[in-house]
Amino acid sequence: MAESKPTHLEPSKLGTKAYWDALYTTELSTHASDPTLEGTVWFDDSDAEAKILSYLSPGSDSDSEHSSSSSSSSHPSPSHPHNLSPPTASILDLGCGNGSLLFSLRDDGWSGHLLGVDYSEQSVALAKSIAASRENEDLKSVEFKVWDVLNGPLSDILPPASGGGWDLVLDKGTFDAVSLSSETDSLGRRINEGYGERVLQLLKVGGIFLVTSCNWTEAELQGWFETSTAPNDEKTKLRMAGRIDYPSFSFGGVKGQTISTLCFEKVVVE
């Protein structure tokens, strides 16, 4: 059983906008000098992007548990475990960095509305520069915008005719960074405590939130997003719907992973 509210992380400079602005200013300058250098791919040492692509591939359930995948003899092509359609699914990447995950999804056939947002202007400038440098690729469906995940107006980024929100919301390290901030919200909470509530506002009912973290265990992520994120005014909540398996290690008789990726679905509370 996941505890209702995991213990907060100690604040770090990685939880400040100044840190990320400085990082992406450097990476933007490096990319301008050599377009083949596209900056940091977070969790690359764990092959997280490839794992995420595999998990999201239609018919793939090799790395998932608690999946809703199903098949039928009347459907020769395997269905997607979360009813996502690569040609049409709308995808929002929170804290997009250099855009690497969205570019990988686009290359893998996800050709719907793809939007990456980041509160660092330099991050968005880098992602746009990388997109422009890939002259031989069709990246028209990949968009990047400066937007604050916790405070930006929802009307600025909700897709048109969205049915209430995005089909898929991605987070690869952004919740980690938010969790390292010492800032508090209007209720006096550390700002990461309101992150799940924000995700609910961004998803359509039945939409999927896929979050990858190196700072939180699977049980802690479940605690933050399923257990301690209360149902909103629409009577919806986040329910764990899958996970990605990474190579594990054992230390002192305890088994663990260096990173965790969990999948949550926005469901109506019965």
Side-chain angles (χ1 to χ4, degrees), residues 98-193:
N98 63 359
S100 175
L101 182 54
L102 288 183
F103 294 140
S104 294
L105 284 164
R106 181 65 184 86
D107 292 344
D108 207 42
W110 294 82
S111 53
H113 184 186
L114 274 62
L115 172 64
V117 297
D118 204 293
Y119 72 167
S120 171
E121 294 87 349
Q122 290 81 359
S123 159
V124 172
L126 174 61
K128 288 182 175 180
S129 179
I130 292 171
S133 70
R134 298 184 174 196
E135 298 177 354
N136 297 323
E137 299 180 26
D138 178 13
L139 294 174
K140 294 179 181 178
S141 59
V142 183
E143 180 186 3
F144 297 99
K145 182 178 293 188
V146 177
W147 191 74
D148 188 320
V149 173
L150 292 174
N151 300 304
L154 293 172
S155 58
D156 285 357
I157 56 97
L158 286 178
S162 64
W166 295 85
D167 294 306
L168 173 62
V169 172
L170 301 168
D171 177 321
K172 187 158 67 72
T174 299
F175 182 63
D176 281 353
V178 172
S179 298
L180 291 169
S181 173
S182 62
E183 293 183 51
T184 56
D185 63 16
S186 60
L187 300 176
R189 306 176 300 178
R190 288 274 293 271
I191 57 173
N192 67 313
E193 291 193 38

Coordinates of all heavy atoms in Angstrom, one line a residue, residues 98-193:
N98 N 14.9 19.6 -24.6 CA 15.3 19.8 -26.0 C 14.4 19.2 -27.0 O 14.7 19.1 -28.2 CB 16.8 19.3 -26.2 CG 16.9 17.8 -26.0 OD1 15.9 17.1 -25.6 ND2 18.1 17.3 -26.2
G99 N 13.3 18.6 -26.5 CA 12.3 18.0 -27.4 C 12.6 16.6 -27.8 O 11.9 16.0 -28.7
S100 N 13.6 16.0 -27.3 CA 14.0 14.7 -27.7 C 12.9 13.6 -27.7 O 12.8 12.8 -28.7 CB 15.2 14.2 -26.9 OG 15.6 12.9 -27.2
L101 N 12.1 13.6 -26.7 CA 11.1 12.6 -26.6 C 10.0 12.7 -27.6 O 9.6 11.8 -28.3 CB 10.4 12.6 -25.2 CG 9.4 11.5 -24.9 CD1 9.9 10.1 -25.2 CD2 8.9 11.6 -23.5
L102 N 9.6 14.0 -27.9 CA 8.6 14.2 -28.9 C 9.2 13.9 -30.3 O 8.5 13.4 -31.2 CB 8.1 15.7 -28.9 CG 7.2 16.0 -27.7 CD1 6.8 17.5 -27.8 CD2 6.0 15.1 -27.6
F103 N 10.4 14.3 -30.6 CA 11.0 13.9 -31.9 C 11.0 12.4 -32.1 O 10.8 11.9 -33.2 CB 12.5 14.4 -32.0 CG 12.6 16.0 -32.0 CD1 13.6 16.6 -31.3 CD2 11.6 16.7 -32.7 CE1 13.7 18.0 -31.3 CE2 11.7 18.1 -32.7 CZ 12.7 18.7 -32.0
S104 N 11.4 11.7 -31.0 CA 11.4 10.2 -31.1 C 10.0 9.6 -31.3 O 9.8 8.7 -32.1 CB 12.0 9.6 -29.8 OG 13.3 10.0 -29.6
L105 N 9.0 10.2 -30.7 CA 7.6 9.8 -30.9 C 7.2 10.1 -32.4 O 6.6 9.2 -33.0 CB 6.7 10.5 -29.9 CG 6.7 9.9 -28.5 CD1 6.0 10.9 -27.6 CD2 6.0 8.6 -28.4
R106 N 7.6 11.2 -32.9 CA 7.2 11.6 -34.2 C 7.9 10.6 -35.2 O 7.3 10.1 -36.2 CB 7.6 13.0 -34.5 CG 7.3 13.5 -36.0 CD 5.8 13.5 -36.2 NE 5.5 13.8 -37.5 CZ 5.4 13.0 -38.5 NH1 5.6 11.7 -38.3 NH2 5.0 13.3 -39.7
D107 N 9.1 10.3 -35.0 CA 9.9 9.4 -35.8 C 9.3 8.0 -35.8 O 9.4 7.2 -36.7 CB 11.3 9.3 -35.4 CG 12.1 10.6 -35.7 OD1 11.6 11.4 -36.5 OD2 13.2 10.7 -35.1
D108 N 8.6 7.7 -34.6 CA 8.0 6.3 -34.4 C 6.6 6.3 -34.9 O 5.9 5.2 -34.7 CB 8.1 6.0 -32.9 CG 8.1 4.5 -32.7 OD1 8.9 3.8 -33.4 OD2 7.4 4.0 -31.8
G109 N 6.1 7.3 -35.6 CA 4.8 7.3 -36.3 C 3.7 7.9 -35.5 O 2.5 7.9 -36.0
W110 N 4.0 8.6 -34.4 CA 2.9 9.4 -33.7 C 2.8 10.7 -34.4 O 3.6 11.6 -34.2 CB 3.3 9.5 -32.2 CG 3.3 8.2 -31.5 CD1 4.3 7.3 -31.5 CD2 2.3 7.7 -30.8 NE1 4.0 6.2 -30.8 CE2 2.7 6.4 -30.3 CE3 1.0 8.1 -30.4 CZ2 1.9 5.6 -29.5 CZ3 0.2 7.3 -29.6 CH2 0.6 6.0 -29.2
S111 N 1.8 10.9 -35.2 CA 1.7 12.0 -36.1 C 0.5 12.9 -35.8 O 0.1 13.8 -36.6 CB 1.5 11.5 -37.6 OG 0.5 10.6 -37.7
G112 N -0.1 12.8 -34.6 CA -1.2 13.7 -34.2 C -0.6 15.0 -33.7 O 0.5 15.4 -34.0
H113 N -1.4 15.7 -32.9 CA -0.9 17.0 -32.3 C 0.1 16.7 -31.2 O -0.2 16.2 -30.1 CB -2.1 17.8 -31.8 CG -1.8 19.1 -31.3 ND1 -2.7 19.9 -30.7 CD2 -0.7 19.9 -31.3 CE1 -2.2 21.1 -30.3 NE2 -0.9 21.1 -30.7
L114 N 1.3 17.1 -31.4 CA 2.4 16.9 -30.4 C 2.9 18.3 -30.0 O 3.3 19.1 -30.8 CB 3.6 16.2 -31.0 CG 3.6 14.6 -31.0 CD1 2.4 14.1 -31.8 CD2 4.9 14.1 -31.6
L115 N 2.8 18.6 -28.7 CA 3.2 19.8 -28.1 C 4.1 19.6 -26.9 O 3.8 18.9 -26.0 CB 2.0 20.6 -27.7 CG 2.2 21.9 -26.9 CD1 3.0 23.0 -27.7 CD2 0.9 22.5 -26.3
G116 N 5.3 20.3 -27.0 CA 6.2 20.3 -25.8 C 6.2 21.7 -25.2 O 6.2 22.7 -25.8
V117 N 6.0 21.7 -23.8 CA 6.0 23.0 -23.1 C 7.1 23.0 -22.0 O 7.5 21.9 -21.5 CB 4.7 23.3 -22.4 CG1 3.6 23.4 -23.5 CG2 4.3 22.2 -21.4
D118 N 7.7 24.2 -21.8 CA 8.7 24.3 -20.8 C 8.7 25.8 -20.3 O 8.4 26.7 -21.1 CB 10.1 24.0 -21.3 CG 11.1 23.5 -20.3 OD1 11.4 24.4 -19.4 OD2 11.5 22.4 -20.3
Y119 N 9.0 26.0 -19.0 CA 9.0 27.3 -18.5 C 10.3 28.1 -18.8 O 10.4 29.3 -18.6 CB 8.6 27.4 -17.0 CG 9.6 26.9 -16.0 CD1 9.4 27.2 -14.6 CD2 10.7 26.2 -16.3 CE1 10.2 26.8 -13.6 CE2 11.6 25.7 -15.3 CZ 11.3 26.1 -14.0 OH 12.2 25.6 -13.0
S120 N 11.2 27.3 -19.3 CA 12.5 28.0 -19.7 C 12.5 28.4 -21.2 O 12.3 27.5 -22.1 CB 13.7 27.0 -19.5 OG 14.9 27.5 -20.0
E121 N 12.6 29.7 -21.4 CA 12.6 30.2 -22.8 C 13.7 29.6 -23.6 O 13.6 29.3 -24.8 CB 12.7 31.7 -22.8 CG 11.5 32.4 -22.2 CD 11.6 32.6 -20.7 OE1 12.5 32.0 -20.1 OE2 10.8 33.4 -20.1
Q122 N 14.8 29.4 -22.9 CA 16.0 28.8 -23.6 C 15.8 27.4 -24.0 O 16.2 26.9 -25.1 CB 17.2 28.9 -22.7 CG 17.7 30.4 -22.5 CD 17.0 31.1 -21.5 OE1 16.0 30.6 -20.9 NE2 17.4 32.4 -21.2
S123 N 15.1 26.6 -23.2 CA 14.7 25.2 -23.5 C 13.9 25.2 -24.8 O 14.2 24.4 -25.7 CB 13.9 24.6 -22.4 OG 13.2 23.5 -22.8
V124 N 12.9 26.0 -24.9 CA 12.0 26.0 -26.0 C 12.7 26.5 -27.3 O 12.6 26.0 -28.4 CB 10.7 26.9 -25.8 CG1 9.9 27.1 -27.0 CG2 9.9 26.3 -24.6
A125 N 13.6 27.5 -27.1 CA 14.4 28.0 -28.2 C 15.3 26.8 -28.8 O 15.5 26.7 -30.0 CB 15.3 29.2 -27.8
L126 N 15.9 26.0 -27.9 CA 16.7 24.9 -28.3 C 15.9 23.9 -29.0 O 16.3 23.4 -30.1 CB 17.4 24.3 -27.0 CG 18.2 23.0 -27.3 CD1 19.3 23.3 -28.2 CD2 18.7 22.4 -26.0
A127 N 14.7 23.5 -28.5 CA 13.9 22.5 -29.2 C 13.5 23.0 -30.6 O 13.5 22.2 -31.5 CB 12.7 22.2 -28.3
K128 N 13.1 24.3 -30.7 CA 12.8 24.8 -32.0 C 13.9 24.8 -32.9 O 13.8 24.6 -34.2 CB 12.2 26.2 -31.8 CG 10.8 26.3 -31.2 CD 10.3 27.7 -31.1 CE 8.9 27.8 -30.6 NZ 8.4 29.2 -30.5
S129 N 15.1 25.1 -32.4 CA 16.3 25.2 -33.3 C 16.7 23.8 -33.8 O 17.0 23.6 -34.9 CB 17.5 25.7 -32.4 OG 18.7 25.7 -33.2
I130 N 16.5 22.7 -32.9 CA 16.8 21.4 -33.3 C 15.8 21.0 -34.4 O 16.1 20.3 -35.4 CB 16.7 20.4 -32.1 CG1 17.9 20.7 -31.2 CG2 16.7 19.0 -32.6 CD1 17.8 20.0 -29.8
A131 N 14.5 21.3 -34.2 CA 13.5 21.0 -35.2 C 13.8 21.6 -36.6 O 13.7 21.0 -37.6 CB 12.1 21.4 -34.7
A132 N 14.3 22.9 -36.5 CA 14.6 23.6 -37.8 C 15.8 23.0 -38.4 O 16.0 23.0 -39.7 CB 14.9 25.1 -37.4
S133 N 16.8 22.4 -37.6 CA 18.0 21.9 -38.2 C 17.8 20.5 -38.9 O 18.6 20.1 -39.6 CB 19.1 21.7 -37.1 OG 18.7 20.7 -36.2
R134 N 16.6 19.9 -38.5 CA 16.3 18.6 -39.1 C 15.5 18.8 -40.4 O 14.3 18.5 -40.5 CB 15.5 17.7 -38.2 CG 16.3 17.4 -36.9 CD 15.5 16.5 -36.0 NE 16.2 16.0 -34.9 CZ 15.9 15.0 -34.1 NH1 14.8 14.3 -34.4 NH2 16.7 14.7 -33.1
E135 N 16.2 19.3 -41.4 CA 15.5 19.8 -42.6 C 14.9 18.7 -43.4 O 13.9 18.9 -44.2 CB 16.6 20.5 -43.5 CG 17.1 21.8 -42.9 CD 18.2 22.4 -43.8 OE1 18.5 21.8 -44.8 OE2 18.7 23.5 -43.4
N136 N 15.3 17.5 -43.3 CA 14.8 16.4 -44.1 C 13.7 15.6 -43.4 O 13.2 14.6 -43.9 CB 15.9 15.4 -44.5 CG 17.0 16.1 -45.4 OD1 16.6 16.9 -46.2 ND2 18.2 15.7 -45.2
E137 N 13.3 16.1 -42.2 CA 12.2 15.4 -41.5 C 11.0 16.2 -41.5 O 11.0 17.4 -41.4 CB 12.7 15.1 -40.1 CG 13.9 14.2 -40.0 CD 14.4 13.9 -38.6 OE1 13.5 14.0 -37.7 OE2 15.6 13.7 -38.4
D138 N 9.8 15.5 -41.5 CA 8.5 16.2 -41.4 C 8.2 16.4 -39.9 O 7.6 15.5 -39.3 CB 7.5 15.4 -42.1 CG 6.1 16.0 -42.0 OD1 6.0 17.2 -41.6 OD2 5.1 15.4 -42.3
L139 N 8.5 17.6 -39.4 CA 8.3 17.8 -38.0 C 7.2 18.9 -37.8 O 7.1 19.6 -36.8 CB 9.5 18.3 -37.3 CG 10.6 17.2 -37.2 CD1 11.9 17.8 -36.7 CD2 10.2 16.0 -36.4
K140 N 6.3 19.0 -38.9 CA 5.3 20.1 -38.8 C 4.3 19.9 -37.7 O 3.7 20.8 -37.2 CB 4.5 20.2 -40.1 CG 5.4 20.6 -41.3 CD 4.6 20.6 -42.6 CE 5.5 21.1 -43.8 NZ 4.8 21.1 -45.0
S141 N 4.2 18.6 -37.3 CA 3.2 18.3 -36.2 C 3.8 18.4 -34.8 O 3.1 18.1 -33.8 CB 2.6 16.9 -36.4 OG 3.6 15.9 -36.4
V142 N 5.1 18.8 -34.7 CA 5.7 19.0 -33.4 C 5.8 20.4 -33.1 O 6.4 21.2 -33.9 CB 7.1 18.3 -33.4 CG1 7.7 18.4 -32.0 CG2 7.1 16.8 -33.8
E143 N 5.2 20.9 -32.0 CA 5.2 22.3 -31.6 C 5.8 22.5 -30.3 O 5.7 21.6 -29.4 CB 3.7 22.7 -31.6 CG 3.5 24.2 -31.3 CD 2.0 24.5 -31.1 OE1 1.1 23.6 -31.2 OE2 1.7 25.7 -30.8
F144 N 6.4 23.6 -30.0 CA 7.0 23.9 -28.7 C 6.5 25.3 -28.3 O 6.4 26.2 -29.1 CB 8.5 23.8 -28.8 CG 9.0 22.5 -29.2 CD1 9.4 22.2 -30.5 CD2 9.1 21.5 -28.2 CE1 9.9 20.9 -30.8 CE2 9.5 20.2 -28.5 CZ 9.9 19.9 -29.8
K145 N 6.3 25.4 -27.0 CA 5.7 26.7 -26.5 C 6.3 26.9 -25.0 O 6.4 26.0 -24.3 CB 4.2 26.6 -26.5 CG 3.5 27.9 -26.0 CD 2.0 27.7 -26.1 CE 1.5 27.7 -27.5 NZ 0.0 27.7 -27.6
V146 N 6.5 28.2 -24.7 CA 6.9 28.5 -23.4 C 5.6 28.6 -22.5 O 4.7 29.3 -22.9 CB 7.6 29.9 -23.3 CG1 7.9 30.3 -21.9 CG2 8.9 29.9 -24.2
W147 N 5.6 27.7 -21.5 CA 4.4 27.6 -20.6 C 4.8 27.0 -19.3 O 5.5 26.1 -19.2 CB 3.4 26.8 -21.3 CG 2.0 26.8 -20.7 CD1 1.1 27.8 -20.8 CD2 1.4 25.7 -19.9 NE1 -0.1 27.4 -20.1 CE2 0.1 26.1 -19.6 CE3 1.8 24.4 -19.5 CZ2 -0.7 25.4 -18.8 CZ3 1.0 23.7 -18.8 CH2 -0.3 24.1 -18.4
D148 N 4.3 27.6 -18.2 CA 4.5 27.2 -16.9 C 3.6 26.1 -16.5 O 2.3 26.3 -16.5 CB 4.4 28.3 -15.9 CG 4.9 28.0 -14.5 OD1 4.6 26.9 -14.0 OD2 5.5 28.9 -13.9
V149 N 4.1 24.9 -16.2 CA 3.2 23.7 -16.0 C 2.2 24.0 -14.8 O 1.1 23.6 -14.9 CB 4.1 22.5 -15.6 CG1 3.2 21.3 -15.2 CG2 4.9 22.1 -16.8
L150 N 2.7 24.7 -13.8 CA 1.8 24.8 -12.6 C 1.0 26.1 -12.7 O -0.1 26.2 -12.0 CB 2.6 24.8 -11.4 CG 3.3 23.5 -11.0 CD1 4.2 23.7 -9.8 CD2 2.2 22.4 -10.7
N151 N 1.4 27.1 -13.4 CA 0.7 28.4 -13.4 C 0.2 28.9 -14.7 O -0.5 29.9 -14.8 CB 1.7 29.4 -12.7 CG 2.1 29.1 -11.3 OD1 1.2 28.9 -10.5 ND2 3.4 29.0 -11.1
G152 N 0.6 28.3 -15.8 CA 0.2 28.8 -17.1 C -1.3 28.6 -17.4 O -1.9 27.7 -16.9
P153 N -1.9 29.6 -18.1 CA -3.4 29.4 -18.4 C -3.6 28.2 -19.2 O -3.0 27.9 -20.2 CB -3.7 30.7 -19.2 CG -2.6 31.7 -18.9 CD -1.4 30.8 -18.6
L154 N -4.6 27.4 -18.8 CA -4.9 26.2 -19.5 C -5.4 26.4 -20.9 O -5.1 25.7 -21.8 CB -6.0 25.4 -18.7 CG -5.7 24.8 -17.4 CD1 -6.9 24.3 -16.7 CD2 -4.6 23.7 -17.5
S155 N -6.1 27.6 -21.1 CA -6.6 27.9 -22.4 C -5.5 28.1 -23.5 O -5.7 28.0 -24.7 CB -7.4 29.2 -22.4 OG -6.6 30.3 -21.9
D156 N -4.2 28.3 -23.0 CA -3.1 28.5 -23.9 C -2.6 27.2 -24.5 O -2.0 27.3 -25.6 CB -1.9 29.2 -23.1 CG -2.2 30.6 -22.9 OD1 -3.2 31.2 -23.3 OD2 -1.3 31.2 -22.2
I157 N -2.9 26.1 -23.9 CA -2.3 24.9 -24.4 C -3.3 23.7 -24.6 O -2.9 22.6 -25.1 CB -1.1 24.4 -23.5 CG1 -1.5 24.2 -22.1 CG2 0.0 25.4 -23.6 CD1 -1.8 22.8 -21.7
L158 N -4.5 23.8 -24.2 CA -5.5 22.7 -24.5 C -5.7 22.6 -25.9 O -6.0 23.6 -26.6 CB -6.8 22.9 -23.7 CG -6.7 22.7 -22.2 CD1 -8.1 23.0 -21.6 CD2 -6.3 21.3 -21.9
P159 N -5.7 21.4 -26.5 CA -5.9 21.2 -28.0 C -7.3 21.6 -28.4 O -8.2 21.3 -27.6 CB -5.6 19.7 -28.2 CG -5.8 19.1 -26.9 CD -5.5 20.1 -25.8
P160 N -7.5 22.1 -29.6 CA -8.8 22.4 -30.1 C -9.6 21.1 -30.2 O -9.1 20.1 -30.6 CB -8.6 23.1 -31.4 CG -7.2 22.6 -31.8 CD -6.4 22.5 -30.6
A161 N -10.9 21.2 -30.0 CA -11.8 20.0 -30.1 C -11.2 18.8 -29.4 O -11.1 17.7 -29.9 CB -12.0 19.7 -31.6
S162 N -10.7 19.1 -28.2 CA -10.0 18.1 -27.4 C -10.8 17.1 -26.6 O -10.3 16.1 -26.1 CB -9.0 18.8 -26.4 OG -9.8 19.5 -25.5
G163 N -12.1 17.4 -26.5 CA -12.9 16.5 -25.7 C -12.6 16.7 -24.2 O -12.8 15.8 -23.4
G164 N -12.0 17.8 -23.9 CA -11.7 18.1 -22.5 C -10.3 18.0 -22.1 O -9.9 18.3 -21.0
G165 N -9.4 17.7 -23.0 CA -8.0 17.6 -22.7 C -7.2 16.8 -23.6 O -7.6 16.4 -24.7
W166 N -5.9 16.4 -23.2 CA -5.0 15.7 -24.0 C -5.2 14.2 -23.9 O -5.6 13.7 -22.8 CB -3.6 16.0 -23.6 CG -3.2 17.5 -23.9 CD1 -3.5 18.5 -23.1 CD2 -2.6 17.9 -25.1 NE1 -3.0 19.7 -23.8 CE2 -2.5 19.4 -25.0 CE3 -2.1 17.3 -26.3 CZ2 -1.9 20.2 -25.9 CZ3 -1.5 18.1 -27.2 CH2 -1.4 19.5 -27.1
D167 N -4.9 13.4 -24.9 CA -5.0 12.0 -24.9 C -3.8 11.4 -24.0 O -4.0 10.4 -23.3 CB -4.9 11.4 -26.3 CG -6.1 11.7 -27.1 OD1 -7.2 11.4 -26.7 OD2 -5.9 12.2 -28.3
L168 N -2.6 12.0 -24.2 CA -1.5 11.5 -23.5 C -0.6 12.7 -23.0 O -0.3 13.6 -23.7 CB -0.6 10.6 -24.4 CG 0.7 10.2 -24.0 CD1 0.6 9.2 -22.8 CD2 1.5 9.4 -25.1
V169 N -0.3 12.7 -21.7 CA 0.6 13.7 -21.1 C 1.8 13.0 -20.6 O 1.7 12.0 -19.9 CB -0.1 14.4 -19.9 CG1 0.9 15.3 -19.2 CG2 -1.3 15.2 -20.4
L170 N 3.0 13.5 -21.0 CA 4.3 12.9 -20.6 C 5.0 13.7 -19.7 O 5.0 15.0 -19.7 CB 5.1 12.7 -21.9 CG 4.5 11.8 -23.0 CD1 5.3 12.0 -24.3 CD2 4.5 10.3 -22.6
D171 N 5.8 13.1 -18.8 CA 6.7 13.8 -17.9 C 7.9 12.9 -17.7 O 7.8 11.8 -17.1 CB 6.0 14.0 -16.5 CG 6.8 14.6 -15.5 OD1 8.0 14.3 -15.4 OD2 6.3 15.5 -14.7
K172 N 9.1 13.4 -18.2 CA 10.3 12.6 -18.0 C 11.3 13.5 -17.2 O 12.1 14.2 -17.8 CB 10.9 12.3 -19.4 CG 12.1 11.4 -19.3 CD 12.3 10.6 -20.6 CE 12.7 11.5 -21.8 NZ 14.1 12.0 -21.7
G173 N 11.1 13.5 -15.9 CA 12.0 14.2 -15.0 C 11.5 15.6 -14.5 O 12.1 16.2 -13.6
T174 N 10.3 16.0 -15.1 CA 9.8 17.3 -14.7 C 9.3 17.3 -13.3 O 9.5 18.2 -12.5 CB 8.8 17.8 -15.7 OG1 9.4 18.0 -16.9 CG2 8.2 19.2 -15.3
F175 N 8.5 16.3 -12.9 CA 8.0 16.2 -11.5 C 9.2 16.1 -10.6 O 9.1 16.6 -9.4 CB 7.1 15.0 -11.4 CG 6.5 14.8 -10.0 CD1 5.7 15.8 -9.5 CD2 6.8 13.7 -9.2 CE1 5.2 15.7 -8.2 CE2 6.3 13.6 -7.9 CZ 5.4 14.6 -7.4
D176 N 10.3 15.4 -11.0 CA 11.5 15.4 -10.1 C 11.9 16.8 -9.8 O 12.2 17.2 -8.7 CB 12.6 14.7 -10.9 CG 12.5 13.2 -10.8 OD1 11.6 12.7 -10.0 OD2 13.2 12.5 -11.4
A177 N 12.1 17.7 -10.9 CA 12.6 19.0 -10.7 C 11.6 19.8 -9.9 O 12.1 20.6 -9.0 CB 12.7 19.7 -12.1
V178 N 10.3 19.7 -10.1 CA 9.3 20.4 -9.3 C 9.4 20.0 -7.8 O 9.3 20.8 -6.9 CB 7.9 20.2 -9.8 CG1 6.8 20.8 -8.9 CG2 7.8 20.8 -11.2
S179 N 9.7 18.7 -7.6 CA 9.8 18.2 -6.2 C 11.0 18.7 -5.5 O 11.1 18.7 -4.3 CB 9.8 16.7 -6.2 OG 8.6 16.2 -6.8
L180 N 12.0 19.3 -6.2 CA 13.2 19.8 -5.7 C 13.1 21.3 -5.4 O 14.1 21.9 -4.9 CB 14.4 19.5 -6.5 CG 14.8 18.0 -6.6 CD1 15.8 17.8 -7.7 CD2 15.4 17.5 -5.3
S181 N 12.0 21.9 -5.7 CA 11.8 23.3 -5.5 C 11.3 23.6 -4.1 O 10.6 22.8 -3.5 CB 10.7 23.9 -6.5 OG 10.4 25.2 -6.1
S182 N 11.8 24.7 -3.5 CA 11.4 25.0 -2.1 C 10.2 25.9 -2.2 O 9.6 26.3 -1.1 CB 12.5 25.8 -1.4 OG 12.9 27.0 -2.1
E183 N 9.6 26.3 -3.3 CA 8.5 27.2 -3.4 C 7.2 26.5 -2.9 O 7.1 25.3 -2.8 CB 8.2 27.5 -4.9 CG 9.3 28.4 -5.6 CD 8.9 28.7 -7.0 OE1 7.7 29.2 -7.2 OE2 9.7 28.5 -7.9
T184 N 6.4 27.4 -2.4 CA 5.1 26.9 -1.9 C 3.9 27.6 -2.7 O 4.1 28.6 -3.3 CB 4.9 27.2 -0.4 OG1 5.1 28.6 -0.2 CG2 5.9 26.5 0.4
D185 N 2.8 26.9 -2.6 CA 1.6 27.5 -3.4 C 0.7 28.3 -2.5 O 1.1 28.6 -1.3 CB 0.8 26.4 -4.1 CG 0.2 25.4 -3.1 OD1 0.1 25.7 -1.8 OD2 -0.2 24.3 -3.5
S186 N -0.4 28.7 -2.9 CA -1.3 29.6 -2.2 C -1.9 28.9 -0.9 O -2.4 29.6 0.0 CB -2.4 30.1 -3.1 OG -3.2 29.0 -3.6
L187 N -1.8 27.6 -0.9 CA -2.3 26.9 0.3 C -1.2 26.6 1.3 O -1.4 25.9 2.3 CB -2.9 25.5 -0.2 CG -4.1 25.7 -1.1 CD1 -4.6 24.3 -1.6 CD2 -5.3 26.4 -0.5
G188 N 0.0 27.0 0.9 CA 1.2 26.8 1.8 C 1.8 25.5 1.6 O 2.7 25.1 2.4
R189 N 1.5 24.7 0.6 CA 2.1 23.4 0.3 C 3.3 23.6 -0.6 O 3.4 24.5 -1.4 CB 1.1 22.5 -0.5 CG -0.3 22.4 0.2 CD -1.2 21.6 -0.7 NE -1.4 22.2 -2.0 CZ -2.2 21.7 -3.0 NH1 -2.7 20.5 -2.9 NH2 -2.3 22.3 -4.2
R190 N 4.2 22.6 -0.5 CA 5.3 22.6 -1.5 C 4.6 22.4 -2.9 O 3.6 21.6 -3.0 CB 6.2 21.4 -1.2 CG 7.2 21.6 0.0 CD 8.5 22.3 -0.4 NE 9.3 21.5 -1.3 CZ 10.2 20.6 -0.8 NH1 10.4 20.5 0.5 NH2 10.9 19.9 -1.7
I191 N 5.1 23.1 -3.9 CA 4.4 23.1 -5.2 C 4.2 21.8 -5.8 O 3.2 21.6 -6.6 CB 5.0 24.1 -6.1 CG1 6.5 23.7 -6.4 CG2 4.9 25.5 -5.6 CD1 7.1 24.6 -7.5
N192 N 5.0 20.8 -5.5 CA 4.8 19.5 -6.2 C 3.5 18.8 -5.7 O 3.0 17.9 -6.4 CB 6.0 18.6 -5.9 CG 6.2 18.1 -4.5 OD1 6.1 19.0 -3.6 ND2 6.4 16.9 -4.2
E193 N 3.0 19.3 -4.5 CA 1.7 18.6 -4.0 C 0.5 18.9 -4.9 O -0.4 18.2 -4.9 CB 1.5 19.1 -2.6 CG 2.5 18.6 -1.6 CD 2.0 18.8 -0.2 OE1 0.8 18.6 0.1 OE2 2.9 19.0 0.7

